[in-house]
């Protein structure tokens, strides 16, 4: 049988198996190799909600999806072309993600009687046969047997040998997608530097998987995906949470400000605290507080002391911080509040994604308590956005709410390393200590500059002793004031100060399309990839649709209103019940349409494209 | 428009006096409120510390007592209800060089702020906590607090509070507090001494100060402050000295195993040598001292101790963090941003 | 000198003095007598922010304003006709509230050197003379001297005598407004039943004040205000917080549900907890929790146990409850959350009023967490609104946020006693315990009825054992579900359930004007009185303006959209930065205008009327 | 669609067995997690209580341990992180007839929920608190908790935790807990006994259960559970009995005044008569017991006590409230709504 070599523009593969099967590692190795081959790509891990659900059950299935291509890739893909399943439960949980006619690579050893029953298949069901009957191409490999065969000479115990099953499968896939093995081989050598016999075994399994695929001719086609036209530069793969960690370290370096993170663990934000806790030598101090209120309280205290105070959490934790965020709006100190959103309400679906804390970010406080709001659109984007959030907080003495979500927090994509020298400077508004001179003017802690920003007077500075608090303060002096007119004035000033940030952010640009026309799609946050794909596909089909994706949400870019008014229709896709669309409708009185889903998952490109077509037609 | 008063730049603390630590804000407690004395004693302490005013920060929550920072001519934060320990923790961890004080009330510290207080105590940051205990919510006009005695009739307990109150000192000891002491507004000299001790202790110092709320809970501490009763109800502790109380120190406390009892020194049965000698470092006996008081309003019962009940040297939280920071720099050198961003694996597109 | 008797349609009097001067008592006695005389009226106390500021200072001034008339009265009045001041600080703090040419009744004994200096008048200022020069009519009485004179025979100590000064002044005012003394005399007898000598002294001072006014001819005019055309019935005076207390007792009685209040004291909501703590014999249990989170937590626990759980607080406390309110939206248990708003943000101006927690009520939670929102428009209205909030919470198994504010919480007005029999029935959706029968269907805790309401299954009911929590729940069974479609469905159902409440609330009615026309003014909450006065005055001037005042805010009444669309312009006056107007703009895309002030005080009728005229003209 | 399992209506508790208390939900802890044993022991206890399942409520916060209610075929609430004591308090105050259980973890109870726990303890509601202490945050995948030992390397403490941990039992005692006990997952029989005692105690029962998190903090309690060490490290308390431990009970604990020390019974110097006799009602000694353990991983040091450390009878909060309710009805009669609405002063417009 001869093997056809096929060129592909893009491919999506989904690896799935039991939590113990090393799926995430397999996925990330495939990702590295793919990246090194010059493809553009996007990935998403799909962990089980339980720490360790019973082996073999659907609840225990761990997944990893990678979408790569020779063209620009924006999402991990709605559906996959190839589904790799290590057991029956993995098939059960994931078949719905496979495109009609797609390829299933199944470890037949995971489809025994016990596996089927653990996966809750009926006793008489034959899922592999059923899949074939439904038109899928099923490649059956007894991975366990083949791996044991491959490694029988190593003398390793069976348990250890079985742990190399994933490398055997990876070898098969590397053959199928015409990939070199060397990057993974190097990785294995590094990883098991102290256990060379394990490294060797894994490498052998990988090689043997590759050879197995050639020798057994289980595939009739083999694929190759050319390099994508990617901007020049040095890249690495990064998750959203890691990008935030790196950005904060960068801020500490560039601003010369000590950074203080007060946080309390919560899914899916914990990795930020975890990552920063190892960066003490970058001038970052982390404090794991007793709860979210103490976390933000400590950050506020640190900001008063001259650090940049940051706090990280997810929706329910942010709710707990509401009162303290209100305090920060009164104190007018720098503060960054990172909300890695998850599916709500309440505990909701903590490991799933949603964008439903936008209105909370805007309005979730007592009284008129304006904060700035900014959002990240992808894992890599988290770097720049976090940097921006810190810059705004410091330069405008204001709490900044940074919104990401579970999807970009855990998802990874290639990130072009920034040039450190080109990162914007960050310029704190420190008040100078008073000397002994006669001409020192009295210190006025709430005297504002042209941008309505008050000075940052840090303890230790002679002559700047002052007291601040949550009671309304008199303009300029900062003393307590119950005066009605003063309250009106201060309320307006705090709001105005937030609005003036608009002068220090870039104008909104277009991601796709012309600056006027039939339909404008407006996105924010993690839906970027899905919208970008849907719009570009629609444009390829000739539809008159444009796309802007908002990073700065409060204040909006100054040119936003003009952009919106240049289109007949505006569509706002969101993973919530239409929150940004509410804000835009209120602000601009435009008949904005909302496309929304709350399924704990990213928007699918297909559905969204349909909606776009419909609106362009209508 | 008046401006916030700042200390004249030319003076260093050595030249300063108590009044230099008074801000220009009018003090607005009720006439006769115990808070005034405490403010005065704190202002009196300040010059003794030899710390420049710009290196001192008072942090408070919400309550009558929590207005305190406004009246101190130092840096200050009037925060939100119950969260002063959290704010102070962030400040002290990031600025170990500052002298940080938390002023709080029984509601602020033990009701809404209970969690932060106990975590502060176990962590042992070098922060001085002054707990103004008036056994009532003053600012909100007279509801019972977690230290109000059972049965107290207040606006929210018309038939008497059913809450078993906290013993703040037992709670602090149970939370691993390293310095635990009690004072009263009506004995300013002793208060001054304890403020000094509070400040001197390296670690979280927890000073409970009985403070009279003349409006909503007047005379709550009458038994310990009234001339007619205080001799037999108040026990002043001194390290290394026997536990003596009563008129002319006619009584002492001895220990029968772990059970404290009153020794009448006049009776001839007991002499000072039989008495319990106070040891500030003995944590077991500190527990006995914190729980000594339960029945003390009744004659013949054990008196309530004032003074330093427990003082333990152990590393402060901020020191341990500083040590880790130092170790981190020693191990990795000053963080290299480029390396960090690059990470473990990169590829280059040309 | 002869005295002119003048008929007045309405009068506003402001009493002001040191906190120790008995101002609130004087005010409330004048109020009782005025009410008994059949006038309509509205009052507002203006306490100092400090518990007891130093005597004689401006910070220590306590005020009480009453507006009464022979026509309908809706506000305590922007400005007063008569200002009674017991000392210099009282004049200093209150002169700004006196109408040009108005009357000042001043206790000259409070204007000594020391008083002037405590009040921070410059040493050379003569405020009384200055007031005369500015065209005010100043009646000077040495009240201290006259009271001591009056009571010198009583043998009471001077300190006790001086405490009757307020009664002397009240006597003067009773004469000036042609009021009978007997109600106050009865009151004094009751109040000092155990100290008859004090009662006698106060009565004598009152009588002598009255006689003094006749004898000394200090006034050239005397006024009378006829009874107002008031609906028949029995009335009492009531504050908003008291009305809430009474409504909750009424709910306990009418629903036969035990009521559980979990609360933590906070200004200006504490009086509700205080009032209810004495009503154990009405089936109301109160629990003063350690903080706001425990307060709402305990209310949720009680609701699970079959009580109606209620929690009360103000803005900052409500912020702390956000996370738990989210839980309640998932648990779908009855819960009433009362927010007596105060001026914010943060600690703000805790003793002042504002309406700036509306957006927090709508959106201040993580995720899509719909609650019902309802608001009270006046002290007396608090009764019916609270009753409605409880009814909706119980019958729709949903958290209801009830908004009032400091202004109506402390302000008082006449309240027509409701007929207890006519209070709506409240019908809990209790699930019946399962018997031993074969035909018992399995219990489904999240099976909804036509209104999407789930059953209330209370511990102790056999066969209904079930577990609920904050994780997303499977439709009908209530088991944990991570299914994407189920999350979409449940999210929609929770929202839809809230929307369906619209079928169980009355249509919106008009407070003033026609159902179409030039300008519609839309109000909510405590601005009712100001808007009503402004609109009715504007209509008397012939302007084409109508007025609706919303009680039900989420969902809105079904006919709201139609109403709005029948007007050329819509104006929304609020004591915030335009929060309801944002919601309406988003919802109906109408170019709604916002008239807003955040001065810690009610909107003034004058300003608002100007705005209305302007819009009607434009 | 599966439906929530309900107990067959015909059985009363007398006929029920442990398995009748298992819900139909799949138990989803990691294989080998200590939570399984505890669940089993609780299910085993249930029929002994003689309380019908519909009168039992399990309330939990968030954490691995807090999933507990889903697995019990009783009423249950899986609340929000740290707030189970608050929810349970509202439930118990309003429904004193129910048997209310709080299941919580070291993070849930002592980190975010610290305030609610200490207030629950001082108020003394008749609620049974099972604190699953694994000295780690399990559900969020391995960060240190307030009970993690200093120096523990976790995801958020890469160079070791600097936090001085709580001693949960000292904290509970300091917060006026009326019942304080410690058990371990690996000694199910003793656990069963303590669960029974927990349930029997009228008032807030605080049972700390050492629970092994096999994934993120495996063997944290090895010193007390490993066969090789446990004899010399674990001390089982029995009321009225001397404190004995070690292989063949070769050692005892005696008190030198207030200072506990090990008595080697083999040496001939000490006999059982010299030993400290455990008295569950002695609060002073209870303190000594809670603090006994600090050095116990080192040979020759004092062992860690398991069993009932303290048990005190005092009125429950809900009883005091019920008494006030009764008194209120006795004094005023059933509330008359009409009178209440009418108030003190009315007028009539005709
Ligand atoms: C979040 C929040 N809840 C409640 C309040 C209301 N409040 C202010 S101070 C206080 C209690 C004060 O009591 P305490 O701490 O004993 O201080 P004191 O006034 O007695 O000195 C309360 C309940 C608040 N300001 N913020
Ligand atoms: C408000 C809030 N903050 C944080 C979290 C995340 N969270 C869930 S469980 C948990 C800690 C669990 O530790 P523990 O109570 O010891 O339970 P275990 O999992 O170890 O049994 C945390 C931090 C949350 N769910 N909600
Ligand atoms: S209310 Fe009490 S505590 Fe507050 S200022 Fe007045 S006397 Fe002092
Ligand atoms: S993570 Fe630990 S505590 Fe949680 S289920 Fe797994 S073993 Fe148990
Ligand atoms: Mg107090
Ligand atoms: Mg734990």
């Amino acid at each position: 049988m001869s093997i056809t070599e096929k060129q592909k523009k893009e491919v999506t593969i989904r690896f799935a198996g039991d939590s113990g099967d090393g799926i995430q590692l397999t996925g990330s190795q495939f990702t590295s190799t793919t990246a090194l081959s010059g493809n553009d790509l996007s990935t998403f891990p799909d962990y089980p909600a339980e720490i360790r659900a019973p082996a073999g059950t659907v609840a225990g299935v761990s997944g990893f999806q990678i979408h790569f291509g020779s063209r620009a890739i924006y999402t991990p893909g709605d559906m996959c072309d190839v589904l790799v399943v290590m057991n029956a439960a993995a098939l059960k949980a994931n078949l719905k993600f496979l495109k009609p006619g797609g390829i299933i690579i199944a470890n037949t050893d995971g489809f025994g009687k016990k596996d089927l029953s653990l996966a809750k298949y009926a006793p008489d069901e034959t899922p592999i046969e059923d899949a074939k009957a439904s038109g899928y191409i099923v490649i059956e490999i007894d991975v366990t047997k083949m791996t044991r065969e491959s490694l029988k000479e190593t003398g390793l115990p069976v348990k250890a040998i079985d742990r190399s099953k994933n490398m055997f499968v990876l070898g098969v896939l590397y053959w199928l997608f015409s990939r070199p093995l060397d990057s993974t081989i190097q990785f294995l050598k590094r990883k098991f530097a102290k256990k060379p016999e394990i490294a060797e075994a894994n490498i052998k399994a990988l090689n043997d998987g590759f050879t197995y695929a050639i020798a057994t001719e289980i595939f009739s086609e083999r694929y190759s995906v050319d390099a994508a036209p990617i901007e020049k530069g040095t890249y690495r793969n990064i998750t959203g949470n890691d990008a935030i960690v790196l950005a904060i370290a960068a801020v500490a370096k560039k601003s010369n400000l000590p950074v203080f993170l007060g946080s309390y663990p919560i899914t899916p934000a914990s990795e930020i605290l975890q990552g920063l806790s190892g960066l003490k030598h970058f001038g970052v101090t982390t404090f794991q507080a007793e709860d979210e209120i103490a976390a933000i309280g400590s950050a506020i205290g640190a900001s008063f002391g001259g650090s940049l105070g940051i706090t990280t959490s997810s929706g329910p934790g942010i709710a707990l911080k509401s009162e303290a965020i209100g305090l920060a709006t009164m104190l007018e100190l720098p503060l960054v509040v990172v909300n890695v959103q998850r599916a709500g309400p309440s505990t909701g679906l903590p490991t799933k994604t949603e964008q439903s804390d936008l209105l909370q970010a805007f309005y979730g406080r007592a009284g008129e308590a304006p904060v700035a709001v900014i959002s990240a659109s992808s894992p890599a984007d988290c770097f720049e956005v976090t940097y921006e959030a810190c810059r705004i907080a410091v330069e405008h003495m204001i709490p900044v709410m940074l919104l990401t979500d579970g999807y970009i927090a855990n998802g990874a994509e290639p990130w072009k390393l920034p040039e450190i020298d080109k990162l914007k400077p960050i310029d704190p508004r420190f008040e100078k200590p008073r000397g002994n001179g006669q001409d020192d003017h009295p210190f006025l802690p709430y005297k504002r500059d042209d941008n309505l920003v008050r000075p940052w007077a840090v303890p230790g500075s002679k002559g700047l002793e002052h007291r601040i608090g949550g009671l309304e303060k008199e303009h300029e002096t900062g003393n307590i004031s119950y005066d009605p007119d003063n309250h009106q004035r201060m309320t307006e000033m705090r709001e105005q100060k937030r609005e003036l940030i608009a002068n220090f952010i870039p104008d909104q640009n277009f991601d796709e399309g012309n600056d006027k026309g039939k339909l404008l799609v407006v996105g924010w946050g993690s839906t970027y990839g899905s919208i970008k794909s849907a719009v570009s596909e629609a444009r390829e089909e000739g539809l008159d649709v444009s796309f802007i994706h908002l990073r700065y949400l409060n204040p909006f870019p100054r040119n936003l209103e003009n952009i919106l008014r240049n289109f007949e229709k505006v569509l706002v896709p969101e993973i919530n019940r239409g929150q940004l669309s509410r804000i835009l409708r209120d602000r601009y009185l435009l008949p904005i349409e909302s496309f929304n889903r709350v399924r704990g998952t990213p928007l699918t490109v297909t559905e969204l494209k349909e909606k776009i077509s419909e609106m362009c037609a209508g | 428009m008046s401006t916030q008063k700042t200390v004249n730049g030319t003076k260093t603390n050595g030249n300063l006096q108590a009044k230099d630590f008074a801000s220009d804000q009018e003090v607005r407690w009720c006439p006769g409120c115990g808070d005034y004395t405490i403010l005065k004693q704190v202002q009196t302490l300040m010059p003794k510390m030899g710390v420049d005013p710009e290196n001192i920060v008072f942090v408070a929550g919400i309550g009558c007592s929590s207005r305190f920072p406004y009246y101190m001519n130092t840096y200050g934060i009037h925060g939100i209800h119950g969260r002063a320990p959290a704010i102070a923790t962030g400040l002290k961890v990031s600025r170990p060089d500052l002298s940080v004080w938390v002023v709080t009330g029984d509601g602020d510290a033990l009701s809404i702020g209970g969690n932060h207080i106990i975590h502060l105590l176990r962590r042992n940051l070098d922060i001085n906590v002054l707990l103004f205990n008036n056994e009532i919510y003053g600012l909100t006009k007279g509801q019972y607090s977690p230290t109000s005695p059972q049965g107290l009739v207040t606006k929210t307990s018309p038939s008497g509070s059913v809450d078993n109150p906290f013993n703040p000192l037992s709670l602090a000891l149970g939370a691993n507090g390293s310095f635990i002491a009690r004072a009263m507004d009506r004995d300013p000299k002793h208060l001054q001494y304890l403020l000094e001790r509070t400040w001197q202790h390296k670690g979280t110092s927890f000073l409970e100060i009985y403070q009279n709320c003349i409006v909503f809970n007047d005379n709550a501490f009458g038994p310990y402050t009234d001339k007619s009763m205080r001799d037999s109800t108040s026990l002043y502790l001194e390290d290394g000295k026997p536990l003596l109380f009563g008129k002319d120190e006619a009584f002492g406390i001895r220990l029968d195993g772990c059970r404290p009892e009153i020794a009448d020194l006049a009776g001839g049965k007991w002499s000072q040598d039989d008495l319990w000698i106070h040891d500030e470092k003995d944590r077991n006996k500190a527990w006995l001292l914190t729980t000594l008081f339960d029945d003390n309003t009744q004659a013949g019962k054990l008196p309530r101790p004032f003074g330093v009940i427990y003082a333990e040297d152990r590393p402060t939280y901020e020191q341990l963090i500083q040590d880790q920071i130092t170790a981190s720099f020693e191990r990795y050198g000053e963080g290299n941003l480029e390396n960090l961003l690059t990470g473990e694996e990169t590829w280059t597109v040309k």
Side-chain angles (χ1 to χ4, degrees), chain B residues 5 7 11-24 37-49 53 56 58 68 71-74 192:
Chain B
K5 182 177 170 184
V7 170
K11 282 189 188 175
T12 55
N13 196 326
N15 310 320
L16 295 172
Q17 294 179 317
K19 67 176 166 37
D20 293 313
F21 285 89
S23 77
D24 64 348
T37 340
I38 310 176
L39 176 61
K40 181 149 180 251
Q41 292 308 318
V42 172
Q43 289 172 343
T44 303
L45 171 73
M46 290 289 114
K48 297 189 199 167
M49 304 196 317
I56 302 170
F58 279 80
F68 200 94
Y71 308 137
M72 292 298 299
N73 193 17
T74 61
Q192 179 65 218

Side-chain angles (χ1 to χ4, degrees), chain A residues 98-113:
Chain A
L98 184 60
K99 290 181 189 161
I103 299 173
I104 297 171
I105 301 178
N107 169 25
T108 51
D109 185 54
F111 285 79
K113 245 207 165 119

Side-chain angles (χ1 to χ4, degrees), chain A residues 183-259:
Chain A
S183 153
T184 297
I185 291 173
Q186 293 315 317
F187 165 81
L188 290 166
K189 285 189 178 155
R190 273 201 315 277
K191 183 172 158 89
F192 297 109
K194 289 192 184 142
K195 294 182 186 163
E197 69 287 1
I198 301 285
E200 280 316 310
N202 275 299
I203 292 168
K204 180 152 198 311
L206 182 75
N207 275 314
D208 288 355
F210 194 89
T211 331
Y212 174 86
I214 308 176
T216 54
E217 297 196 343
I218 45 177
F219 297 99
S220 58
E221 294 182 344
R222 190 183 181 193
Y223 311 102
S224 67
V225 180
D226 282 352
I230 296 179
E231 208 185 323
K232 280 181 192 164
T234 302
Y235 287 79
R236 65 175 284 188
N237 224 358
I238 199 154
T239 66
N241 278 348
D242 281 346
I244 293 178
V245 169
L246 299 187
I248 290 172
V251 167
K253 278 282 172 183
K254 293 290 289 188
S255 67
N256 268 318
L257 282 174
V259 170

Side-chain angles (χ1 to χ4, degrees), chain B residues 8-165:
Chain B
N8 182 322
T10 57
K11 282 189 188 175
T12 55
N13 196 326
N15 310 320
L16 295 172
Q17 294 179 317
K19 67 176 166 37
D20 293 313
F21 285 89
S23 77
D24 64 348
Q25 296 298 294
E26 218 177 296
V27 184
R28 292 221 178 135
W29 289 306
C30 305
C33 174
D35 290 350
Y36 285 98
T37 340
I38 310 176
L39 176 61
K40 181 149 180 251
Q41 292 308 318
V42 172
Q43 289 172 343
T44 303
L45 171 73
M46 290 289 114
K48 297 189 199 167
M49 304 196 317
V51 178
D52 287 334
E54 68 268 22
N55 293 321
I56 302 170
V57 186
F58 279 80
V59 182
I62 304 285
C64 293
S65 33
S66 291
R67 293 285 176 105
F68 200 94
Y70 289 119
Y71 308 137
M72 292 298 299
N73 193 17
T74 61
Y75 283 88
I77 308 181
H78 180 226
I80 42 180
H81 197 30
R83 318 304 175 183
I87 296 173
T89 294
L91 181 62
K92 185 73 185 177
V93 166
S94 61
R95 290 293 305 274
D97 58 311
L98 300 174
S99 172
V100 178
W101 295 72
V102 165
V103 179
T104 181
D106 43 319
D108 194 59
L110 298 177
S111 199
I112 192 167
N115 204 26
H116 310 303
I117 277 285
I118 60 179
H119 282 267
L120 175 63
L121 288 164
R122 78 172 170 93
R123 293 195 186 109
N124 199 38
L125 287 106
D126 186 16
I127 289 174
N128 308 303
V129 180
L130 309 181
L131 170 64
F132 293 24
N133 184 3
N134 55 13
E135 300 190 346
I136 199 84
Y137 292 169
L139 190 71
T140 48
K141 306 192 179 168
Q143 302 83 11
Y144 63 97
S145 93
T147 58
S148 298
Q150 224 163 9
L152 191 73
V153 172
T154 70
K155 283 194 183 144
T156 48
S157 56
S159 7
S161 159
V162 295
D163 279 44
N164 178 300

Side-chain angles (χ1 to χ4, degrees), chain A residues 146-174:
Chain A
M146 295 317 302
T147 309
R148 289 187 188 166
E149 197 59 37
S150 155
L151 301 184
K152 68 176 175 222
E153 315 274 76
T154 59
L156 287 173
V158 177
K159 235 178 150 178
I161 287 177
D162 282 356
R163 265 193 229 112
S164 302
K165 281 191 307 194
N166 58 340
M167 287 301 120
F168 189 90
V169 172
L170 188 59
V172 171
L173 280 153
Y174 279 166

